[in-house]
């Protein structure tokens, strides 16, 4: 029963989904047929893997099902069992696709381990939401008999997590990874450094963490009220900080990899570097030392562009590359104000020596040094879209945050980048900035950076928007939601801002446009909210009575 015939006969029966009642899959799969029966997971169930390539996925599912069911669920190398995993060479499923048939047993097949893992995540969603509970729930575990064939639309399905503004303990990061993986997201862009804190141990520069990981206080309330000297800055004077040791990083990277999540580390440069300059003042442009920053917002402190500073960045990145196998290394490049360069005689002299026209060219020069270094180590640079003007290696990727689908104002950035050979990750601040308010009624929400980004705006965002030419479209790797954490002091708060909007993101990233539907999404979210409750993931409750009235929540 486990031969190729089964794989083949599964295919023709399947129709495209209209989200049959009771199935609450997020993201919605490509093809789905409900067979009208039920299957029960019983305490004696055996999980089998038919070949060694299917072993990890089988073990991971057993591990995910044990806590809530309390079942032993032995995992065996076998081609028969109650839940059977098998790798196949069905290339129509792509690198990450899978097929799942639940009939008198569960059969899950895929060309690769990622697909088997995603199939197992779908299987979990077919079970009652209690299956996400970390403690045993005594009940029956029935699921509908179905046939599913599924594969993602985009290969970059990301969330950016900012742990520089507030340190997030290791176990919280692991929990966040679990929540992402259950939604078939596969990229965690980890913003590890910024003006307010340096969060990764670098052996060659110990002061980055002994000094740079700690700040003496945090601005009280909204930073905007102090901007331009409106009021004297008030901080809570509570020391805040923390960092990941290299062992912590390895553990987190492995944990993510086991869940098919690539962690893309970001070391932001040449701006957003005040924490490093606090640790090593010689990296900066000022005569006086600075402290790790205690407030938020764009800022003018910047690295100097000396060769020695470029070398520092390379040394840091060399250690980063030893820890992160990601093909992409993010070097920031955003919001680097040039006033400290403009007003500095030594830097003006450097600019002339290097034959550069202005300080924008100086920034490009800086980023290009780093690009060459990453390329020499077989990695690809990725940076915020400010880097796009700088003549980078063709395979550098651009994180396109100024993407706006409503007025095309950011379109040129993407077209120019694609014309220069760069891939794009759509990280639009008009649709994918999850640090923005979830309600127009700001006083009913926890303090946020500003703006308004309701769930429906996220859901209806189309990353391949009207106005992009074919070449640009072909360069879009995928999409990413941003969790800038200025106003998110802990995981609970990060989760509140992330969910449910990251569920909408998962559907943009995975589901084909013709299968997206906001009405059924909201229905499915009713069950997803129960899954979040069962796994103690904080989330902003959807007001289901008002949810279909746009922008009135
Ligand atoms: C801009 S968009 C930033 C971040 C802030 C964010 C807040 C970008 C590349 N940089 O430094 O945290 O706005 O929304």
């Amino acid at each position: 029963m486990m031969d190729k015939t089964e794989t083949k006969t599964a295919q023709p029966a399947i129709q495209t989904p209209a989200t049959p009642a009771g199935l609450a899959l997020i993201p919605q799969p490509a093809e789905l047929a409900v067979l009208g029966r039920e299957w029960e997971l019983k305490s004696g169930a055996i999980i089998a893997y038919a070949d060694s390539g299917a072993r990890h996925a089988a073990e991971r599912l057993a591990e995910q099902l044990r806590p809530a069911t309390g079942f032993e669920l032995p995992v065996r190398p076998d081609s028969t069992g109650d839940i059977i995993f098998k790798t196949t060479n069905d290339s129509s499923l792509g690198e990450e696709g899978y097929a799942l048939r639940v009939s008198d047993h569960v059969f899950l097949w895929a060309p690769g381990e990622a697909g088997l893992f995603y199939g197992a995540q779908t299987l979990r969603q077919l079970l009652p939401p209690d299956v996400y509970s970390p403690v045993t729930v005594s009940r029956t575990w029935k699921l509908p008999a179905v046939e599913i064939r599924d594969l993602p639309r985009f290969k970059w399905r990301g969330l950016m997590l900012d742990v520089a503004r507030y340190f997030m303990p290791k176990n919280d990061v692991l929990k966040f990874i679990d929540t992402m993986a259950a939604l078939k997201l596969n990229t965690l862009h980890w913003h590890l450094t910024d003006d307010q804190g340096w969060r990764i141990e670098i052996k060659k520069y110990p002061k980055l963490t002994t000094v740079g990981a700690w700040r003496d206080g945090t601005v009280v309330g909204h930073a905007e009220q102090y901007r331009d000297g409106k009021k004297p800055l008030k901080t809570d004077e509570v020391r805040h900080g923390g960092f990941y040791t290299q062992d912590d990083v390895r553990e987190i990277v492995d944990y993510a990899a086991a869940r098919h999540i690539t962690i893309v580390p970001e070391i932001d440069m040449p701006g957003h570097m005040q924490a490093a300059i606090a640790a090593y003042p010689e990296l900066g442009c000022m005569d006086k030392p600075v402290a790790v920053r205690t407030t938020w917002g764009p800022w003018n402190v910047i690295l100097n562009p000396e060769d020695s500073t470029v070398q520092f960045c390379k040394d840091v990145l060399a250690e980063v590359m030893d820890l992160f196998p990601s093909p992409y290394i993010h070097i920031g490049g955003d919001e680097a104000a040039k006033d400290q360069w403009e007003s500095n005689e030594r830097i003006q002299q450097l600019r002339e020596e290097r034959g550069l026209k202005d300080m924008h060219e100086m920034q490009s020069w800086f980023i290009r040094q780093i690009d060459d270094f990453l390329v020499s180590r077989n990695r690809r640079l990725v940076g915020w879209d400010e880097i796009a003007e700088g003549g980078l290696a063709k395979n550098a990727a651009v994180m396109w945050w100024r993407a706006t689908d409503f007025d095309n104002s950011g379109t040129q950035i993407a077209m120019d980048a694609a014309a220069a050979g760069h891939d794009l990750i759509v990280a639009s601040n008009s649709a994918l900035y999850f640090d923005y308010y979830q309600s127009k009624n700001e006083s009913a929400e926890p303090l946020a950076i500003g703006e308004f980004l309701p769930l429906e705006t996220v859901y209806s965002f189309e990353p391949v928007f009207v106005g992009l030419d074919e070449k640009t479209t072909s360069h879009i790797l995928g999409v990413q939601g941003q969790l800038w954490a200025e106003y998110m002091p802990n995981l609970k708060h990060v989760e509140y801002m992330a969910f449910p909007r990251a569920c909408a993101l998962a559907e943009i990233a995975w589901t084909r446009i013709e299968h997206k539907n906001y009405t059924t999404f909201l229905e499915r979210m009713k069950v997803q909210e129960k899954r979040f409750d069962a796994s103690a993931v904080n989330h902003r409750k959807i007001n289901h009575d008002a949810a279909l009235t746009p922008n009135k929540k």
Side-chain angles (χ1 to χ4, degrees):
M1 76 179 182
M2 274 295 311
D3 60 14
K4 282 210 173 120
T5 346
E6 178 161 22
T7 329
K8 284 218 176 87
T9 49
Q11 293 171 21
I14 296 181
Q15 294 134 29
T16 10
T19 312
L23 290 200
L25 302 175
I26 291 182
Q28 179 70 23
E31 296 174 23
L32 161 66
V34 178
L35 306 177
R37 301 189 299 276
E38 278 187 324
W39 181 80
E40 187 175 344
L41 175 68
K42 298 208 176 104
S43 65
I46 288 168
I47 302 186
Y49 53 95
D51 55 279
S52 59
R55 179 175 177 172
H56 287 304
E59 284 173 348
R60 186 76 51 218
L61 178 68
E63 189 187 293
Q64 288 184 320
L65 295 179
R66 278 180 197 127
T69 61
F71 299 162
E72 196 185 328
L73 303 172
V75 180
R76 296 189 188 150
D78 206 335
S79 54
T80 58
D82 297 286
I83 301 178
I84 305 147
F85 285 76
K86 183 180 165 69
T87 52
T88 60
N89 50 14
D90 181 350
S91 59
S92 68
L93 288 169
E95 275 174 38
E96 296 181 293
Y98 66 92
L100 169 66
R101 175 200 275 182
V102 181
S103 52
D104 52 352
H105 61 279
V106 174
F107 183 39
L108 219 165
W109 69 99
E113 289 196 34
L116 292 174
F117 177 77
Y118 294 134
Q121 300 320 300
T122 298
L123 187 64
R124 283 169 90 204
Q125 290 191 347
L126 290 169
L127 282 157
D130 283 343
V131 80
Y132 289 80
S133 165
V135 294
T136 305
V137 182
S138 175
R139 57 163 299 151
T140 55
W141 300 98
K142 288 190 181 154
L143 60 137
V146 289
E147 290 191 6
I148 292 174
R149 281 177 66 83
D150 194 15
L151 75 175
R153 179 177 176 205
F154 290 111
K155 60 179 178 200
W156 187 300
R157 304 182 298 279
L159 277 176
M160 188 224 58
L161 182 64
D162 169 9
V163 294
R165 270 55 182 265
Y166 283 99
F167 175 66
M168 187 187 279
K170 182 181 77 185
N171 285 337
D172 290 351
V173 178
L174 300 181
K175 182 184 177 211
F176 190 76
I177 286 170
D178 277 323
T179 314
M180 282 180 71
L183 295 167
K184 303 186 175 78
L185 297 171
N186 70 350
T187 307
L188 175 63
H189 164 181
W190 207 13
H191 186 75
L192 285 163
T193 65
D194 215 304
D195 294 324
Q196 298 83 6
W198 183 284
R199 305 281 173 236
I200 176 171
E201 178 190 23
I202 300 295
K203 305 270 191 204
K204 189 161 185 184
Y205 300 103
K207 284 199 274 180
L208 287 173
T209 42
T210 55
V211 176
W214 305 92
R215 64 174 180 258
D216 287 334
T218 303
V219 61
V220 174
H222 206 285
E224 196 51 46
Q225 64 184 317
Y226 309 101
R227 181 89 15 95
D228 306 325
K230 279 187 215 159
K231 258 189 180 185
L233 177 67
K234 190 164 170 243
T235 79
D236 60 10
E237 293 178 28
V238 177
R239 192 164 152 84
H240 172 84
F243 66 92
Y244 308 98
T245 64
Q246 296 204 346
D247 282 343
D248 290 338
V249 171
R250 275 186 279 267
E251 187 184 335
I252 292 169
V253 167
D254 288 350
Y255 190 90
R259 287 149 186 80
H260 298 277
I261 289 179
T262 302
I263 304 192
V264 177
E266 179 184 352
I267 307 293
D268 203 344
M269 62 184 79
H272 292 275
M273 265 282 185
Q274 185 164 326
I277 296 168
Y280 295 99
E282 63 273 25
L283 298 171
C285 306
M286 292 161 292
D287 307 331
K288 298 185 292 207
V290 283
V292 177
R293 198 169 172 221
T294 56
T295 187
W296 319 123
W299 194 224
N300 63 358
V301 172
I302 186 169
L303 292 177
N304 66 51
E306 301 282 352
D307 292 336
S308 53
T309 301
V310 173
Q311 189 56 48
F312 161 85
C313 292
K314 290 181 183 174
D315 292 342
V316 167
L317 290 171
E319 291 194 32
V320 166
M321 283 187 273
D322 283 344
L323 293 167
F324 293 90
S326 165
Y328 294 93
I329 304 291
H330 203 301
I331 55 80
D334 58 316
E335 300 179 327
K338 310 292 182 308
D339 8 333
Q340 292 196 341
W341 285 358
E342 298 285 1
S343 61
N344 186 308
E345 265 177 48
R346 162 73 190 144
I347 297 173
Q348 289 290 359
Q349 182 197 336
L350 257 183
R351 181 184 60 69
E352 269 174 39
E353 281 169 23
R354 289 174 183 162
L356 303 169
K357 190 171 79 226
D358 55 27
M359 291 307 177
H360 291 288
E361 287 199 357
M362 183 65 102
Q363 156 130 349
S364 297
W365 177 90
F366 192 102
I367 302 288
R368 235 177 12 248
Q369 308 304 304
I370 303 300
D371 187 36
D372 290 346
F373 177 67
L374 295 180
V375 169
S376 75
R377 305 260 176 135
N378 290 320
R379 304 294 182 107
R380 295 178 65 173
L381 176 146
V382 52
W384 298 106
D385 63 36
E386 286 93 331
I387 66 159
E389 304 116 20
L392 299 173
K394 273 200 179 315
N395 72 359
V398 170
M399 206 154 256
W400 183 24
W401 65 276
R402 286 175 289 182
T404 45
D405 56 342
F406 50 84
D407 67 359
N408 276 351
S409 59
T411 306
Q412 201 56 44
I413 299 170
M415 304 230 270
D416 292 348
H422 302 308
D423 287 339
L424 296 155
I425 297 109
V426 183
S428 168
N429 70 344
S430 68
L432 302 173
Y433 267 42
F434 300 161
D435 54 336
Y436 294 175
Y437 278 103
Q438 300 185 71
S439 165
K440 273 192 173 162
N441 183 6
E442 293 183 3
S443 59
E445 292 290 318
L447 187 67
I449 197 153
E451 310 284 341
F452 171 50
L453 179 59
L455 181 61
E456 185 171 11
T457 305
V458 181
Y459 192 85
S460 56
F461 180 68
E462 170 45 41
V464 183
F465 49 76
V466 182
L468 297 183
D469 56 21
E470 225 171 274
K471 179 161 174 105
T472 310
T473 304
S474 71
H475 274 284
I476 293 179
L477 296 179
V479 283
Q480 182 173 286
Q482 280 44 250
L483 289 156
W484 297 109
E486 288 95 329
Y487 299 96
M488 306 179 203
N490 52 45
L491 173 69
K492 203 168 171 239
H493 199 139
V494 168
E495 288 177 339
Y496 179 88
M497 300 304 278
F499 307 111
R501 289 182 291 194
C503 301
L505 170 81
E507 202 137 321
I508 301 171
W510 183 282
T511 303
R512 285 190 223 148
I513 308 179
E514 63 269 29
H515 297 155
K516 278 180 69 197
N517 178 317
Y518 190 57
T519 310
T520 73
F521 173 75
L522 289 174
E523 278 305 306
R524 289 177 282 128
M525 277 308 299
K526 288 180 183 165
V527 181
Q528 182 60 41
E529 290 184 300
K530 292 187 185 147
R531 293 182 193 124
F532 285 148
D533 292 339
S535 49
V537 170
N538 193 25
H539 57 103
R540 185 182 186 275
K541 314 252 168 326
I542 297 171
N543 177 351
H544 285 280
D545 297 330
L548 280 171
T549 320
N551 301 354
K552 294 258 168 60
K553 287 141 267 177

